[in-house]
Every structure is written in C-alpha cells, then in structure tokens.
Amino acid sequence: MPQEIKLRPHHGLCIQFFEGKGYDEAFTLNMTQIIAQLETENNLINLTPDCDVLCAACPNNMGGVCTDNEKVASIDKRTLNTSGLDIFRKILWSEYKKLLKDEIIETGRLKEVCRNCCWSRICLVKGSEQLRSN
Ligand code: SF4
Ligand code: SF4
C-alpha cells in the first residue's frame, strides 16, 4: 500500500511546473524526490492547510508554519474552490493532477488562482505552452 502524503492544495500545481529550481539546494532535492515518489507510487494525497512534505525542506518553514502563510493559504483556497474539492480530502495523486490540469491549467484559470505568487509569470508561460501542445 503506497504511503499517504500530505500536500498543500496549490502544491499540486507547483509540481506540474517544476523545472528543477527552488528556494535552495535542499528544497530542490526534496521536491525532486517527492515528485519522483508521487509519479512512481501514485500515492493517496491528503489535502492539508498546513506545512506538507514540500514545506518540510523549505527555508520559509519556521517551526511548522510558512512565513508567507497568508498568501499561500489564499492560493490553496482558490485551488480548492476552482477544482471543487474540500480541504482534508483524500485523492490519488494521478486523479488530483488530472483534475488540476483539466479545471485550472487547461481552462486558463491559472492566472486567477496563482495571481499573487511571485513565480506566476514563469508558470503562466509554461501553462500556455501546455495548452498549445494539446
Ligand atoms: S513553507 Fe511556504 S513557501 Fe515553503 S513550500 Fe511551504 S507553502 Fe511554500
Ligand atoms: S504560480 Fe506559484 S503557486 Fe502557482 S503553480 Fe507556480 S509556483 Fe505554484
């Protein structure tokens, strides 16, 4: 039985645009490993409002709380609202990934969902590329 993994809702989007860069080396290595695990094991995701498996190696995680929690919580909320899921919902990684792709990336809603993220310009370009390649 694959391990259950806690994931902040918006991290399901960040994972889909990850290109091997992050806050620092430890964060990038951890994110690379978690993505490989998700893709290999198709884990059950537990959508959490708190720090998750990616936050575990993030320099912005101060004692289990994100230093930018107000902003990331707003992106989490819009991710859930747009995909029609509730917090603490458990869902297979493959289903969650597809849901976010169908409801947010391919509908062009990424711009609104990620509107206050400092990386949004990069992710929006990648999202548009995904749309064009379909
Ligand atoms: S601690 Fe904050 S900035 Fe770091 S990965 Fe988690 S939500 Fe993102
Ligand atoms: S814009 Fe920010 S929150 Fe949205 S997918 Fe990219 S890194 Fe994640």
Side-chain angles (χ1 to χ4, degrees), residues 10 13-14 17 75 110 114 117-120 123:
H10 78 281
L13 290 166
C14 307
F17 298 116
I75 307 175
L110 188 71
C114 296
C117 176
C118 57
W119 312 108
S120 64
C123 296

Side-chain angles (χ1 to χ4, degrees), residues 103-125:
E103 299 298 327
I104 297 180
I105 300 172
E106 297 198 344
T107 55
R109 293 182 179 132
L110 188 71
K111 190 174 178 184
E112 164 59 17
V113 171
C114 296
R115 66 172 186 251
N116 51 348
C117 176
C118 57
W119 312 108
S120 64
R121 283 219 309 226
I122 297 170
C123 296
L124 283 171
V125 168

Side-chain angles (χ1 to χ4, degrees), residues 22-63:
Y23 298 108
D24 62 17
E25 205 175 318
F27 177 85
T28 304
L29 177 64
N30 179 57
M31 186 147 177
T32 303
Q33 290 171 340
I34 295 294
I35 293 172
Q37 182 181 354
L38 289 169
E39 293 299 327
T40 309
E41 299 180 7
N42 192 24
N43 305 78
L44 192 65
I45 301 305
N46 185 349
L47 294 170
T48 178
D50 304 312
C51 277
D52 67 4
V53 285
L54 300 184
C55 306
C58 180
N60 298 327
N61 177 351
M62 292 293 159

